[in-house]
Amino acid sequence: MISDTAPMIIIGAGHAGGRAALTLRAEGYTGPLILIGDEPHLPYERPPLSKGLLQGQVTLGDFSLCQAAQLTELGIQHLSGQRVVRLAPAQHRLHLADGRVLDYQRLLLATGGQVRRLAQVPAHFANVLYLRTHEDAERLREQLLPGARVVIVGGGFIGLEVAASARQAGCTVTLLEAGPRLAGRVVSPRLSAALLYLHREHGVEVHLDTGLQDVSGQQQVERVQLADGTWLPCDVLVVGIGIQPAVELAREAGLDVGQGIRVDECLRASAPDMFVAGDACEFRLHPAGDFQRQETWRNAEDQGRHAALNMLGADQPFRGVPYFWSDQYDWSLQSVGSPHAGTPSAQRDLPAGGFLQFYLDADQCLQGASGWANGNAIAKDIKLCERLISARVPLDHEALADPGVALKHLLRTAHA
């Protein structure tokens, strides 16, 4: 039963939390609503941090979800620069770092995560940078000067996007990846090879199967040592080795926690009147599926919206189709559904070196697809793949691989 007495509270004023707050108002909730975030900013999207903002093409206002006047007009109380230190689920209560205690009727945890840090790198060095927040991106942009020698640890999407932005800024870039291929945990060998070729073509010195052994310097990193003993000069050290989901509040409150905060199919946590969305949410896309987390723009957008609807009593299972993209130089990688890092079921070559990869399940239905192309050439194909995933019809390997067979035709056949 929704009341207008105790407030709805959202912990985490990032993309997922901000979208949830706006959705609650858009869906007609008129009671008190509090959005709590530890950053000083309005809710914003994170993908531009490693691309447009680093390249000076956008500012924070360009990718904020709303303006301060809009929050005021909607009656959303935004507690910025605040941190929640304790949850008391049995009392429907939370404690802030400044000593305040707030009661809630329903609570959304959209706590996101913190960057993983390298233990062997002194935290006080001014030129050691991580990328998670707007402040991180601003500090990094100030140091990406022409001729700067940038060393990047991590060959996942953050590291690769920063490498592309740094090269476009005129920096000398060396990238270290501990695994045998780039983005190896999430993309196929062919996509890894395409990423490697692209970055080397743009002058990035890529070292695979190589980690950071040590650093030297007094007040900042001056040189870095690779695992094989090689020393490299360094003006800027960027660490992009993923995030650690923020689950401490939930764990200390006795909630069910795995790799993230675990939820049921409606994004409800294991405590009454509590929901979870975004990077810290560990969920199943299907009742018999494995728990997973997704650190993507779409997941934050979709789960923030969906959790808000269920906070209002919709009681609808979350069945969002996963999707992510990564733009590097003039090329784009896009993925939909549940592809994996192994060999695809079928591949389709596209003009100018692009390609699509398809992953079929045991019933020969499409479960995931990935694409690689210059510009945004694969956007329509990926959208059609998303519709084929939802259609759940058996598909022919040869038809998927044949560029002469339009995906739209396969979709029409599915609905015939």
Side-chain angles (χ1 to χ4, degrees):
M1 185 72 176
I2 305 299
S3 73
D4 286 340
T5 52
M8 297 273 200
I9 296 183
I10 299 169
I11 301 176
H15 186 171
R19 180 56 64 205
L22 295 173
T23 301
L24 286 169
R25 287 298 191 232
E27 292 297 319
Y29 173 67
T30 59
L33 176 56
I34 302 174
L35 179 63
I36 304 172
D38 55 7
E39 291 190 60
H41 309 293
L42 297 165
Y44 63 88
E45 302 170 348
R46 296 193 188 276
L49 296 181
S50 57
K51 299 182 280 284
L53 194 141
L54 282 189
Q55 296 164 18
Q57 298 171 351
V58 297
T59 64
L60 179 60
D62 295 320
F63 51 95
S64 294
L65 295 185
C66 57
Q67 301 302 315
Q70 184 181 1
L71 292 185
T72 301
E73 182 181 343
L74 292 173
I76 299 173
Q77 185 180 359
H78 181 207
L79 303 182
S80 61
Q82 286 286 350
R83 190 167 57 89
V84 177
V85 295
R86 187 163 71 87
L87 299 176
Q91 292 77 35
H92 281 55
R93 187 170 295 157
L94 61 85
H95 297 253
L96 295 172
D98 64 7
R100 279 184 286 175
V101 178
L102 303 177
D103 292 328
Y104 61 86
Q105 59 169 314
R106 287 188 178 163
L107 180 73
L108 175 64
L109 294 172
T111 48
Q114 298 88 32
V115 292
R116 297 181 186 273
R117 298 184 178 272
L118 284 177
Q120 64 268 44
V121 179
H124 67 276
F125 279 6
N127 64 340
V128 177
L129 301 172
Y130 298 80
L131 184 56
R132 178 66 180 171
T133 68
H134 176 259
E135 280 75 14
D136 294 337
E138 289 285 3
R139 284 194 291 269
L140 179 53
R141 184 172 65 175
E142 291 171 0
Q143 298 202 35
L144 295 184
L145 302 175
R149 296 167 297 186
V150 179
V151 176
I152 299 172
V153 180
F157 291 115
I158 288 294
L160 293 171
E161 289 172 4
V162 170
S165 295
R167 284 297 296 140
Q168 288 168 293
C171 303
T172 299
V173 179
T174 302
L175 186 140
L176 313 179
E177 166 53 43
R181 55 190 180 91
L182 297 177
R185 289 182 297 176
V186 291
V187 304
S188 70
R190 185 177 180 183
L191 275 168
S192 290
L195 289 166
L196 180 62
Y197 177 81
L198 178 70
H199 281 272
R200 284 180 170 166
E201 279 289 293
H202 281 83
V204 178
E205 184 179 337
V206 180
H207 295 263
L208 300 175
D209 291 311
T210 304
L212 184 72
Q213 184 70 26
D214 200 2
V215 299
S216 70
Q218 296 300 315
Q219 300 302 316
Q220 62 178 23
V221 174
E222 297 172 1
R223 295 189 305 157
V224 299
Q225 186 183 36
L226 310 188
D228 65 1
T230 303
W231 284 94
L232 300 175
C234 177
D235 300 313
V236 184
L237 178 62
V238 182
V239 181
I241 55 174
I243 71 164
Q244 184 70 40
V247 300
E248 294 81 6
L249 273 177
R251 180 180 287 116
E252 291 169 3
L255 274 64
D256 188 8
V257 172
Q259 295 301 311
I261 306 169
R262 289 191 167 176
V263 297
D264 68 9
E265 64 178 4
C266 294
L267 304 182
R268 285 183 294 246
S270 58
D273 299 317
M274 195 177 293
F275 297 78
V276 190
D279 291 353
C281 180
E282 190 176 18
F283 62 98
R284 290 186 172 106
L285 270 176
H286 301 284
D290 295 330
F291 275 107
Q292 61 177 285
R293 287 191 312 107
Q294 293 176 18
E295 300 167 12
T296 67
W297 180 95
R298 175 178 281 191
N299 190 60
E301 177 75 12
D302 289 354
Q303 285 193 342
R305 189 186 306 276
H306 199 90
L309 295 175
N310 284 342
M311 289 171 76
L312 294 174
D315 205 33
Q316 293 293 316
F318 178 71
R319 295 286 183 261
V321 178
Y323 166 81
F324 78 87
W325 82 93
S326 178
D327 296 329
Q328 299 168 39
Y329 308 104
D330 295 327
W331 284 74
S332 177
L333 184 156
Q334 297 185 35
S335 176
V336 66
S338 300
H340 51 77
T343 303
S345 307
Q347 301 187 74
R348 174 179 295 203
D349 290 328
L350 302 175
F355 56 89
L356 290 166
Q357 298 185 316
F358 306 95
Y359 297 80
L360 303 180
D361 62 18
D363 298 321
Q364 301 306 300
C365 297
L366 191 66
Q367 68 174 12
S370 296
W372 175 251
N374 192 268
N376 205 28
I378 53 172
K380 289 183 180 179
D381 285 335
I382 292 295
K383 287 181 180 178
L384 288 168
C385 287
E386 181 173 354
R387 294 172 65 186
L388 283 168
I389 290 169
S390 299
R392 291 291 303 161
V393 292
L395 296 169
D396 180 71
H397 290 229
E398 291 185 4
L400 286 172
D402 186 353
V405 178
L407 295 179
K408 188 178 291 186
H409 172 73
L410 297 178
L411 188 63
R412 287 198 200 101
T413 303
H415 289 297

